[in-house]
Every structure is written in C-alpha cells, then in structure tokens.
Amino acid sequence: MTVCEYKPGLEGIPAAQSSISFVDGQQGILEYRGIRIEELAEKSTFLETAYLLIWGALPTQEELAEFETEIRYHRRIKYRIRDMMKCFPETGHPMDALQASAAALGLFYSRRALDNPAYIRKAVVRLLAKIPTMVAAFQLMRKGNDPVQPRDDLGYAANFLYMLNEREPDPFAAKVFDACLTLHAEQTMNASTFSARVTASTLTDPYAVVASAVGTLAGPLHGGANEEVIEMLEEIGSVENVRPYLEELFRTKAKIMGFGHRVYKVKDPRATILQGLAEQLFAKYGDDQHYDIAVELEKAIEEKLGHRGIYPNVDFYSGLVYRKLGIPTDLFTPIFAIARVAGWLAHWKEQLGENRIFRPTQIYTGDHQVDYIPITERG
Ligand code: ACO
C-alpha cells in the first residue's frame, strides 16, 4: 500500500465522492445539487431545500406537499423522551441535551432496515420533524415550563419559533428564519458531516449518525463559534474599542471567532446573505447596537488578515439575526443543527449507496520492544 504524506486535519484529502454540494473557496461559491445558495435562500424554503439535498432533485408540487404533510405529522415527541429531557440539568448546554435526545430516538425507532427505502424515508422525516421540537422543548423545560405542542397549521420555521416563544411569529420573522435554515443546511465535507459519514459507514442507525454529528458540531471551532461571536461583540462593547480589542487578541495569538475557514479564502457567501438578512431585520424591528461593532470588526480584520484569506464565515452574522428573532445565545448552535440535519441525512443516504467502512491509517510515533516494569519497581 502507498504511504501518503500525513496531513493534519486531513486538509485537502478527499474523504468521499459526493454530488450533494460544491464549494469554491477562492470565488466564494456554494451550490446545493448545482444550485447557487443565493438563489435557494431567496426562492426556496428549507423543506424544499432539504428534499433537494436528500433526494437529489427539486420536488414537484405534489412531492413537496406530501413531504411537508409527513413532517407535520411526525413533529410530536413521545412523552418518554420529553420526560427524559425533563431530567436533564437546566444548566446543561442545549447542544448536549440535543445530542442525548437525538440518540434517544434510536431507543424508540431502532428497527434498522437500511436497504428499505420506506425505512430511509421514515427516518429522514422523523429526524427533520422531531429535532426542532426537542430543541424548543428543552428551552421551555429548563425554564420550568411545559413544552408547547407543535401546531399543524404552521410551516416548519414558524412552528419552531412558535414552540420556542409560545406565540405565533410575524410572517417576516418566520421567512427570515427559514432562509437561515436553508443557508445552514449543507456545506460539503465539514467536520460534523465527516463525523456523520464515518458513523454511517458502520451501518448503525440514523439517530446515532445524527447524534454523533451534533456532538461534532458543538465545538467552538465549528458550529459553536456563532455563540462565541455574540459574547465577543458584547465584550468589545463599542466601535471605539474594536481596534484595541483586536490588538490584544493578536498579542495573545487568540483566534477571532466567526473568521477564517478551511475552504473559503474570501468572505463566505452565507455571511454576505446573513448580513443582508440582519439589515432587513434591523430595518423592520429596530437596530442592534452590536451590528456597528461587527461591521467595524470585519473592516479591521480585512485590513489586518485579508491578505491571508481570513474573512467572516457563516457564524459571524448569524448570531445577530437570531438575537433579533428573540433566540437565546446558547440556542444558536442547536439551530445550526436543526438545519444541518438535512445535509447530514443527505450524506448518510449517499454513504449507504456506496458504503465502505471508514478505516484510515496512522503514522505510529511511539516506542517498540518496551519492557513491562512491575508496579512496585516503577520510580
Ligand atoms: N483568527 C485569527 N487567526 C486565524 C483565524 C482566526 N479566526 N483563523 C485562522 N487563523 C490563522 C491561524 O492562526 C493560522 O495562522 P498560522 O499559519 O500563523 O499558524 C492560519 O490562519 C491557518 O489557521 P488554521 O487554524 O490552521 O486553519 P484551519 O483551516 O485549520 O481552521 C478554522 C479553520 C477552524 C475555521 C479557523 O479559521 C478558526 O479557528 N476560526 C475561528 C472559529 C470559527 O469561526 N469557526 C467556525 C468556522 S465555520 C463552521 O464551522 C460552521
């Protein structure tokens, strides 16, 4: 076997052949099944996009209606799952709650039939339908309230905001939130998708696939960055403090959250769209004092790090949008997960189509022929 050069973080190493999405990091292009993200964010809906990602083509009117109906029907969660979630500590992070709850679905729907299209369809529907309900339920229960039942007359995004805030959202807010879900639905071979594919390759159940991906997304170098961006903007506090704050980050060699990307070496196209959505929300519902800080920070970083290809990524402006929609900071990453379930499921399905278990190699750097020293003789 040829021994390849070791690449930390597997940079540049293809881990799969995929027709789900495409990214050009030099030109700032992202396509789902060949369709530009800008077009989907403007013209599609999250569920239509999820269908496109998972089944490979845009649905007809009938197909979309059927898919939406199935999802509405499966939004409720079993009372045993709800009761299990009630026992989670209210101080626990919602991403940990989501990972545990997603894995728990496997206890109830465990009959695996990975070669049966009806099983695949049901698993896709259940995961897309129930993950938002679980995120909203944990949010209410950690405040000591009962979860709100999903409403069948509301669309996917509106229903989630309704379950979260216990009131029907303004249609504009629901539309913006739906576009945010579309933007976060898929992004080639990122860490959580790789995690999903590795888990899928063992032929385990789809709930374990999604649970492992949720755990991977939680980290601050991946989906968790959106939460840290808001904390950073709050810490900066004023436009005047942007440059002194940045100098201090450079001095300590700390990473600036919401900036940089393994693939994008220009501004992430999703960050551009999210910035536009944030501006629309501010125009309708009032300014956010941290937006000016964010714009100044982007300008300062472009001056200092632009030549190294470090620009805002998807996590930079998403938090400002979510905050305007009344969403608490520690739900930003679970919301990312709600959207990314679509991408993970598309990769799960694709992986099953041409499966070979992931089993990479390593370069051993340890010793050989080491003698065992009895415990009494160890110094
Ligand atoms: N702030 C400051 N410097 C940075 C940043 C940043 N945000 N991102 C990259 N750099 C610098 C690194 O310090 C490194 O410099 P060096 O060559 O002098 O050591 C160089 O750019 C390359 O950075 P790496 O971390 O090696 O790049 P990698 O491709 O491994 O990591 C990552 C990409 C993890 C996204 C990185 O840019 C980062 O940590 N960003 C901040 C966290 C963040 O926003 N994550 C969300 C990413 S989007 C998503 O996952 C949904």
Side-chain angles (χ1 to χ4, degrees):
M1 192 174 72
T2 332
V3 178
C4 303
E5 187 196 343
Y6 167 54
K7 293 275 191 179
L10 299 184
E11 181 169 2
I13 311 274
Q17 297 197 88
S18 180
S19 61
I20 300 168
S21 64
F22 167 82
V23 59
D24 181 330
Q26 298 299 334
Q27 305 211 47
I29 293 172
L30 172 61
E31 293 170 346
Y32 295 169
R33 300 283 186 190
I35 304 177
R36 287 284 283 261
I37 190 65
E38 291 81 359
E39 215 176 344
L40 289 167
E42 191 192 330
K43 299 178 189 161
S44 184
T45 62
F46 171 67
L47 281 186
E48 184 185 59
T49 298
Y51 188 104
L52 167 75
L53 289 167
I54 297 166
W55 278 286
L58 285 168
T60 61
Q61 271 182 1
E62 294 75 39
E63 284 167 339
L64 181 59
E66 196 185 332
F67 188 50
E68 286 175 344
T69 305
E70 280 176 74
I71 287 186
R72 271 169 221 264
Y73 183 75
H74 285 280
R75 279 174 182 165
R76 281 165 187 73
I77 51 173
K78 291 193 183 290
Y79 78 85
R80 285 171 194 272
I81 291 191
R82 192 195 56 212
D83 288 358
M84 176 195 80
M85 294 176 73
K86 258 187 197 157
C87 300
F88 293 168
E90 64 270 20
T91 49
H93 195 283
M95 275 303 265
D96 294 326
L98 179 60
Q99 189 183 21
S101 317
L105 289 175
L107 293 163
F108 295 91
Y109 311 109
S110 61
R111 201 180 53 84
R112 249 192 319 274
L114 299 178
D115 49 2
N116 179 350
Y119 172 86
I120 304 276
R121 171 94 177 191
K122 206 40 135 355
V124 163
V125 165
R126 280 199 183 112
L127 278 157
L128 283 168
K130 293 183 196 300
I131 294 274
T133 311
M134 295 193 297
V135 171
F138 181 67
Q139 169 61 10
L140 290 192
M141 288 192 290
R142 71 176 168 163
K143 291 194 294 184
N145 300 330
D146 271 330
V148 169
Q149 286 296 323
R151 258 185 48 195
D152 288 353
D153 59 320
L154 295 177
Y156 194 83
N159 174 60
F160 174 71
L161 293 175
Y162 163 73
M163 290 189 297
L164 196 64
N165 299 319
E166 301 181 79
R167 62 171 187 277
E168 199 176 320
D170 181 52
F172 180 69
K175 191 172 180 314
V176 167
F177 186 68
D178 193 76
C180 289
L181 295 178
T182 301
L183 291 173
H184 286 84
E186 161 64 5
Q187 167 71 355
T188 69
M189 197 54 65
N190 56 85
S192 57
T193 300
F194 181 50
S195 184
R197 284 193 85 123
V198 171
T199 311
S201 79
T202 69
L203 301 185
T204 186
D205 71 63
Y207 310 104
V209 169
V210 168
S212 71
V214 169
T216 309
L217 185 70
L221 294 187
H222 195 8
N226 55 15
E227 197 178 319
E228 303 212 4
V229 168
I230 289 293
E231 284 161 16
M232 174 178 70
L233 295 177
E234 282 171 353
E235 219 174 290
I236 296 173
S238 68
V239 172
E240 296 70 45
N241 198 28
V242 165
R243 284 165 200 266
Y245 184 94
L246 256 191
E247 287 311 320
E248 184 57 19
L249 285 188
F250 289 145
R251 199 186 59 74
T252 57
K253 296 197 174 4
K255 287 269 184 77
I256 304 135
M257 289 295 134
F259 286 86
H261 199 276
R262 175 64 62 78
V263 181
Y264 291 117
K265 298 305 164 200
V266 294
K267 187 168 176 177
D268 184 328
R270 299 165 301 170
T272 307
I273 304 171
L274 283 161
Q275 185 175 9
L277 291 175
E279 285 175 356
Q280 287 178 38
L281 283 176
F282 302 150
K284 194 162 164 73
Y285 304 124
D287 289 341
D288 181 317
Q289 49 164 0
H290 293 103
Y291 181 63
D292 292 343
I293 301 174
V295 171
E296 180 65 16
L297 187 63
E298 179 181 345
K299 207 165 109 197
I301 291 177
E302 188 175 346
E303 284 164 28
K304 300 268 186 193
L305 299 176
H307 65 285
R308 295 177 59 195
I310 297 172
Y311 285 91
N313 59 48
V314 68
D315 283 334
F316 190 57
Y317 286 107
S318 62
L320 289 170
V321 171
Y322 296 150
R323 207 161 64 158
K324 202 76 216 164
L325 293 173
I327 295 168
T329 311
D330 63 359
L331 289 193
F332 295 174
T333 321
I335 284 166
F336 193 153
I338 290 175
R340 191 52 63 85
V341 166
W344 294 331
L345 290 171
H347 282 271
W348 167 60
K349 201 164 155 286
E350 189 175 68
Q351 181 67 36
L352 293 180
E354 271 185 34
N355 192 50
R356 191 165 187 216
I357 190 167
F358 276 91
R359 200 335 182 166
T361 186
Q362 61 167 17
I363 296 167
Y364 178 65
T365 60
D367 297 328
H368 294 283
Q369 309 278 340
V370 179
D371 290 331
Y372 177 83
I373 303 169
I375 197 162
T376 50
E377 293 169 25
R378 288 175 214 160

